[in-house]
């Protein structure tokens, strides 16, 4: 299976006065769309540069600081047109091009701040998994639904999170139907989503991709960005995060127990367990976990049903790592290699 890796979206933020935002809305009224207004705070979208890969999100507040946020699809910004599947590697030449184009946008809008005044607020680490069929996309998505329930993380549905997600350059379709094509979990500064990219493109943009694509997206924001990349210029942060993306994503997948090399049919998994060199007691526990994963909605639920400690459970998963298969099994005889 072919996998593409890179950064799909990142955002830059800077403080901005209430009156500057008001003037911007008046001069760019043709491109302005009000998203929400809660009492003394308004969130406004400026979509003039959205087809080129930059959406400008304005947070205008009377009693709090106002902000301007640039939500950037770097691949689209580099090419000058919407690139739904392209992923960005923060190489020197490409970063120079991004820097130049953003400076031009700031100048065109006559903003009072400079590009150096913006801070990196969010980065989306993205992987496109090119599957053999739409059926494989659904199977892989169902496998992710059985992930470990991480402490403090909550499963989410599209449509009930912040305005930034709603107005991202490449947002998935937010509707009940779309939630059958996505699995998503998150906390304040970290969010992970797996979804059918082909479905989203067709429903939201009317685009058809030739190959079925499952998209994995790990979004980090706020303090998490600074913890991973340090307190340096946003260009240097982006370069460092691009360099470390595999390490960051792989670590998260390991926490979800979604980094096993293979997922096989139940009958085959039981055969692999039987042919392993483990003791009978270990084999019995492994078989029990395979059966529990067939009926339980997650690793967490299976562990609770088995009434074993987290430490013992991790040791048991280590046995599956040695035989290179996941305790999650396929509904039909179809091999998946990760």
């Amino acid at each position: 299976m072919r996998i593409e890796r890179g950064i799909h979206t990142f955002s830059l933020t800077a403080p901005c006065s209430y009156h500057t935002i008001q003037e911007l809305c008046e001069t760019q009224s043709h491109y302005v769309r009000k998203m929400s207004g809660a009492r003394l705070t308004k969130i406004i979208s400026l979509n003039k540069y959205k087809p080129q890969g930059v959406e400008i999100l304005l947070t205008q507040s009377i009693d709090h600081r106002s902000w301007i946020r640039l939500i950037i699809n770097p691949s689209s910004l580099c090419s000058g047109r919407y690139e739904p599947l392209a992923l960005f590697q923060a190489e020197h030449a490409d970063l120079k091009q991004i820097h130049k184009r953003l400076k031009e946008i700031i100048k065109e809008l006559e903003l009072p701040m400079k590009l150096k005044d913006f801070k990196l607020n969010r980065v989306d680490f993205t992987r496109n998994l090119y599957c053999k069929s739409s059926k494989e996309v659904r199977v892989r998505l169902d496998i992710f639904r059985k992930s470990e329930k991480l402490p403090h993380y909550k499963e989410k549905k599209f449509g009930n999170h912040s305005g930034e997600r709603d107005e991202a350059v490449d947002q998935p379709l937010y509707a009940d139907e779309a939630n059958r094509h996505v699995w998503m979990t998150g906390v304040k500064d970290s969010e992970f989503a797996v979804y059918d990219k082909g479905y989203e493109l067709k429903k939201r943009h009317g685009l058809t991709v030739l190959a079925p694509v499952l998209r994995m997206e790990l979004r980090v924001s706020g303090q998490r960005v600074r913890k991973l990349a340090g307190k340096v210029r946003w260009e240097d942060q982006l370069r460092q995060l691009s360099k470390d993306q595999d390490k960051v994503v792989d670590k998260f997948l390991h926490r979800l127990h979604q980094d096993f090399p293979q997922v096989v049919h139940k009958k085959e998994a039981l055969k692999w367990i039987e042919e392993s060199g483990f003791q009978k007691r270990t084999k019995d526990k492994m078989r029990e976990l395979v059966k529990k994963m067939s009926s339980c909605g997650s690793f967490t639920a299976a562990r609770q049903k088995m009434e074993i400690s987290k430490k013992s459970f991790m040791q048991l998963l280590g046995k599956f790592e040695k035989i290179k298969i996941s305790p999650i099994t396929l509904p039909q005889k179809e091999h998946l290699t990760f």
Side-chain angles (χ1 to χ4, degrees):
M1 180 181 62
R2 181 163 65 96
I3 302 177
E4 293 179 342
R5 298 169 168 84
I7 292 172
H8 179 263
T9 306
F10 68 91
S11 72
L12 303 173
T13 60
C16 187
S17 72
Y18 181 96
H19 297 292
T20 296
I21 292 179
Q22 191 65 33
E23 291 176 3
L24 191 59
C25 291
E26 291 172 359
T27 58
Q28 303 291 329
S29 59
H30 182 69
Y31 302 101
V32 165
R33 182 168 71 89
K34 292 183 179 180
M35 292 170 48
S36 64
R39 302 184 66 180
L40 302 178
T41 301
K42 296 178 182 178
I43 299 176
I44 303 158
S45 171
L46 177 62
N47 58 19
K48 180 177 183 179
Y49 302 98
K50 192 170 181 178
Q52 302 169 38
V54 179
E55 182 172 7
I56 301 173
L57 209 61
L58 307 169
T59 302
Q60 187 182 42
S61 178
I62 294 177
D63 57 345
H64 292 86
R65 177 176 282 186
S66 296
W67 293 88
I68 182 168
R69 177 178 289 117
L70 309 179
I71 304 175
I72 302 152
N73 179 329
S75 296
S76 297
L77 186 57
C78 283
S79 68
R81 63 181 184 277
Y82 179 53
E83 296 284 356
L85 295 178
L87 301 178
F88 181 74
Q89 306 297 332
E91 304 293 344
H92 179 69
D94 290 333
L95 278 174
K96 283 186 67 175
Q97 187 177 355
I98 293 291
H99 194 276
K100 178 183 177 182
R101 189 67 190 103
L102 290 177
K103 284 182 69 175
E104 291 172 350
I105 290 174
I106 289 173
K107 184 178 180 180
E108 289 171 12
L109 292 175
E110 299 182 344
L111 297 177
M113 71 283 294
K114 296 181 180 179
L115 186 55
K116 67 179 182 179
D117 298 323
F118 284 82
K119 305 296 182 183
L120 186 64
N121 177 257
R122 155 198 154 199
V123 175
D124 292 2
F125 300 109
T126 306
R127 292 183 182 180
N128 289 332
L129 283 65
Y130 288 84
C131 301
K132 293 181 295 184
S133 64
S134 297
K135 179 183 177 182
E136 183 182 344
V137 170
R138 292 193 297 272
V139 169
R140 289 184 180 274
L141 185 54
D142 287 340
I143 289 170
F144 270 101
R145 295 186 196 280
K146 296 200 171 191
S147 295
E148 175 77 5
K149 307 298 183 184
L150 301 180
H152 310 299
Y153 277 73
K154 293 184 179 180
E155 289 193 17
K156 300 183 178 182
K157 292 185 177 182
F158 285 143
N160 62 353
H161 16 71
S162 68
E164 182 180 349
R165 159 63 83 171
D166 290 346
E167 288 302 314
V169 174
D170 189 25
Q171 66 174 0
L173 182 68
Y174 302 118
D176 289 340
E177 182 185 359
N179 286 306
R180 294 196 295 270
H181 299 265
V182 65
W183 181 76
M184 183 175 177
T185 184
V187 290
K188 182 179 180 180
D189 59 358
S190 180
E191 189 174 270
F192 181 74
V194 186
Y195 58 97
D196 184 340
K197 184 61 181 173
Y199 171 85
E200 181 259 321
L201 287 174
K202 184 175 181 180
K203 291 294 183 180
R204 183 169 180 266
H205 299 283
L207 300 176
T208 301
V209 293
L210 296 178
V213 178
L214 182 72
R215 171 161 285 182
M216 294 193 313
E217 199 170 81
L218 175 62
R219 166 183 295 188
V220 295
S221 59
Q223 293 183 2
R224 181 68 174 155
V225 170
R226 293 184 286 277
K227 183 177 180 180
L228 290 171
K231 296 180 181 180
V232 293
R233 298 185 312 163
W234 67 264
E235 297 98 323
D236 294 329
Q237 287 180 318
L238 201 60
R239 189 180 290 110
Q240 185 64 47
L241 291 170
S242 181
K243 180 181 177 182
D244 294 341
Q245 61 178 301
D246 279 346
K247 180 175 66 175
V248 174
V249 175
D250 288 345
K251 183 178 179 180
F252 191 83
L253 292 176
H254 184 71
R255 293 180 66 195
L256 296 176
H257 310 320
Q258 291 290 353
D259 58 343
F260 291 96
Q262 288 191 82
V263 182
V264 299
H265 189 262
K266 183 191 290 187
K267 184 177 180 180
E268 189 173 359
L270 296 176
K271 179 181 178 182
W272 283 42
I273 292 169
E274 183 60 34
E275 293 177 352
S276 70
F278 299 129
Q279 295 180 358
K280 182 180 182 302
R281 182 182 177 185
T282 300
K283 290 181 180 180
D284 288 343
K285 282 293 182 182
M286 293 175 73
R287 282 191 284 263
E288 183 183 0
L289 178 55
V290 167
K291 293 173 182 178
K292 286 289 189 292
M293 289 307 301
S294 296
S295 59
C296 293
S298 68
F299 278 102
T300 309
R303 183 177 73 247
Q304 293 170 348
K305 286 282 188 179
M306 294 177 70
E307 298 183 343
I308 60 176
S309 67
K310 181 66 178 292
K311 181 179 179 181
S312 298
F313 190 74
M314 294 304 294
Q315 291 173 344
L316 186 59
L317 290 179
K319 306 301 182 184
F320 282 91
E321 290 177 7
K322 289 186 177 180
I323 62 174
K324 303 184 184 306
I325 62 169
S326 172
I328 302 172
T329 55
L330 297 172
Q332 297 181 13
K333 292 184 178 180
E334 180 178 350
H335 291 269
L336 299 182
T337 302
F338 284 75

